[in-house]
Amino acid sequence: MVRQPSTEPPVRRLLDAAGVKLMMLASDRWAKAAFILLFFTAAAARILAAPYSATQDTAQFWSFAQLFKQHGLDFYSHYAGTDPVNPWQGWGFVYPPVWLLILGLAAVAAPSAAAGQDFVDTAWRFTMKVPIITADLAIGIILFAVVPGSAWKKLLFASLWLLNPTVWYQSSVFGQFDAIAAAFLLGALVLFEKQHYLWAFATAAVAVLTKQHTLIPVTFMIASAFSLMPRRQIVANLGVFTGIIAAVSLPFMVTGAGGEYLKAVLLPGQAPAYQEPMVYAFSGSGALATYLHNAYGWDTVGWLNINTPVMVLGIIAGLAATYWLKLSPARSMLIGTLIFISTFYRINYQYLVIFIPLAIYIAARSSYLTERLWSVALALFPSLWLWFFNVAFWFNYVSPVYPAASTVLSHFGWTQETSGDIVYVRIALVITFLALGYCCLALTRWRAPLKSVA
């Protein structure tokens, strides 16, 4: 069929095209305005909760800040948490130095703050959480900026992070700093995909210096680099990566605390053991082994001892698959993180924050509907736990207390802690199933390239 020329006047066609363009621009403006509203709503929710809740970690972090102020670079000689200033004796600082440096700045910002087993100063609660909340909100901005497609699509996927109850809880209530490591990790991935390789490896080094578990996804990023750049460039980038880690680590080691530094950073915080209380157990194998022991008297601790070799073998197999299958850095980094989540014997709730932005990032860019849905399930399912936990507990744990939080949080259903351990076992097992399922499907079915970042 021969296409007939349009009889519509050229001026009319031009005006129609301009009208469509104006409508698209107006729609994008509305989406950007909605993101600004979403961002400030998420920020307000975090800032309002931050000064009113406190945990054991909040008090212990205060004591580490005091030790750092007192001992400086010799801090790791006192990392074990046995100094009189530590409210919880034997609870060590088992992290690299970036979080310690941030705690030191927080102590400078709140010099008169104090904390103990029964009291945490409001100023310390807020000051300590500000860097965490800042990194948390920065992830939302990064997602909105790099998700490809319309502004409405960007808004949707940014909201999966900014409105995620798990993220809000960890940043502003519990005060764990994994969002800082996650922000550096996501930033490293985005820089890597935009081919700013030196900056990507430098940012990845800071992520590892914040939370050592991020070394696993970073190693997977490095494995994917072998199919994207020449060996000489990889060596140069690795030089930047190791150089930054050495530049930050060595000052803490040359004081004579080198052995203590390595113990704190490289050894697990807890030897393989039953996960008590089970409300905080998010390892599928760890939770199941503990439940079978408690409910039926089975001696299952031997299961936990094989978790580490299984994890190591899983990581080696994943790295080999990343190299031979030439997986994208985004998928490979998520696979590496999920191998750790699904095989390690002790997974705390805050560890899940590391993979959530990676899952959202992939969900926004995959061409597979099943991968998008699976990734969104990974990002959202952990928040179900809050409906089986009394979140208001942390607002009334140490003085000053805020009983009004129970009334507010009861409207969300976040004050109904269950008494049945089997509920927590099921949550942990589903997380493990989702993690292992994603790894298997990403290695066998979801192989098409992801959409380019914006």
Side-chain angles (χ1 to χ4, degrees):
M1 179 183 293
V2 179
R3 183 176 179 182
Q4 298 297 321
S6 173
T7 58
E8 188 177 18
V11 175
R12 177 62 180 274
R13 293 202 304 271
L14 183 62
L15 290 174
D16 286 346
V20 171
K21 185 67 174 178
L22 287 172
M23 289 177 61
M24 292 175 61
L25 289 173
S27 179
D28 276 355
R29 288 195 187 98
W30 278 109
K32 291 174 182 177
F35 173 74
I36 292 172
L37 178 62
L38 167 69
F39 179 85
F40 282 105
T41 301
R46 288 155 170 76
I47 292 170
L48 286 173
Y52 300 114
S53 60
T55 67
Q56 297 104 319
D57 300 72
T58 313
Q60 197 76 347
F61 285 149
W62 171 84
S63 69
F64 291 133
Q66 305 311 306
L67 288 173
F68 183 41
K69 184 190 301 185
Q70 181 180 353
H71 299 285
L73 294 176
D74 194 38
F75 167 83
Y76 282 93
S77 295
H78 307 268
Y79 87 95
T82 55
D83 281 65
V85 72
N86 296 123
W88 304 93
Q89 290 291 297
W91 183 337
F93 186 90
V94 290
Y95 312 107
V98 166
W99 177 235
L100 179 65
L101 296 172
I102 293 173
L103 289 175
L105 292 175
V108 172
S112 60
Q117 287 194 8
D118 302 315
F119 171 81
V120 177
D121 196 298
T122 301
W124 177 252
R125 302 180 188 199
F126 183 74
T127 305
M128 189 204 82
K129 294 174 185 176
V130 165
I132 305 171
I133 293 171
T134 301
D136 168 357
L137 296 172
I139 291 175
I141 294 175
I142 293 172
L143 289 171
F144 186 81
V146 301
V147 164
S150 70
W152 289 107
K153 180 182 177 182
K154 294 172 177 288
L155 175 67
L156 171 64
F157 286 98
S159 69
L160 293 180
W161 173 266
L162 291 173
L163 298 182
N164 194 309
T166 298
V167 179
W168 170 83
Y169 171 80
Q170 288 298 337
S171 297
S172 58
V173 177
F174 205 73
Q176 279 288 350
F177 60 98
D178 294 67
I180 300 176
F184 286 123
L185 192 64
L186 180 62
L189 174 58
V190 172
L191 289 167
F192 188 94
E193 293 192 323
K194 287 181 172 290
Q195 300 182 10
H196 301 304
Y197 294 126
L198 286 177
W199 284 107
F201 277 74
T203 307
V206 180
V208 174
L209 286 166
T210 306
K211 204 71 181 280
Q212 59 268 54
H213 304 136
T214 58
L215 179 61
I216 297 173
V218 167
T219 304
F220 276 75
M221 183 186 82
I222 295 170
S224 70
F226 279 88
S227 62
L228 297 173
M229 63 182 72
R231 299 293 188 269
R232 182 176 296 180
Q233 188 177 10
I234 292 175
V235 171
N237 292 328
L238 286 175
V240 171
F241 177 76
T242 56
I244 291 175
I245 290 179
V248 176
S249 299
L250 287 176
F252 290 93
M253 301 175 69
V254 297
T255 61
E260 287 78 7
Y261 179 87
L262 294 176
K263 289 178 185 177
V265 174
L266 298 180
L267 294 181
Q270 183 191 71
Y274 293 123
Q275 303 302 289
E276 302 286 359
M278 290 194 63
V279 63
Y280 302 124
F282 295 92
S283 162
S285 60
L288 182 60
T290 303
Y291 180 77
L292 292 176
H293 172 73
N294 292 343
Y296 302 105
W298 295 7
D299 182 8
T300 53
V301 74
W303 295 8
L304 301 178
N305 288 319
I306 68 171
N307 278 56
T308 299
V310 168
M311 180 186 71
V312 172
L313 290 174
I315 290 172
I316 293 173
L319 289 171
T322 294
Y323 176 76
W324 290 111
L325 300 177
K326 294 180 171 57
L327 296 182
S328 69
R331 283 198 182 108
S332 63
M333 290 174 75
L334 181 57
I335 287 172
T337 307
L338 295 179
I339 289 174
F340 167 69
I341 293 295
S342 58
T343 58
F344 195 55
Y345 58 84
R346 180 179 177 84
I347 297 297
N348 296 325
Y349 195 51
Q350 60 266 25
Y351 295 178
L352 309 181
V353 170
I354 298 293
F355 76 71
I356 290 176
L358 297 176
I360 295 171
Y361 187 58
I362 288 175
R365 299 172 56 209
S366 175
S367 58
Y368 299 101
L369 176 61
T370 49
E371 185 177 24
R372 293 199 298 270
L373 294 176
W374 202 287
S375 300
V376 170
L378 270 169
L380 296 183
F381 180 80
S383 64
L384 177 68
W385 176 78
L386 295 176
W387 277 268
F388 297 95
F389 179 74
N390 182 13
V391 179
F393 174 79
W394 297 120
F395 291 82
N396 299 285
Y397 177 67
V398 293
S399 63
V401 299
Y402 300 94
S406 298
T407 303
V408 175
L409 294 173
S410 66
H411 295 300
F412 298 92
W414 292 346
T415 57
Q416 305 298 320
E417 184 168 354
T418 181
S419 59
D421 283 346
I422 189 62
V423 172
Y424 304 117
V425 176
R426 289 168 179 166
I427 291 174
L429 287 174
V430 171
I431 291 173
T432 301
F433 166 77
L434 289 172
L436 288 175
Y438 181 87
C439 294
C440 294
L441 291 169
L443 292 171
T444 58
R445 294 191 58 186
W446 301 328
R447 302 286 302 284
L450 297 171
K451 297 175 184 177
S452 299
V453 296

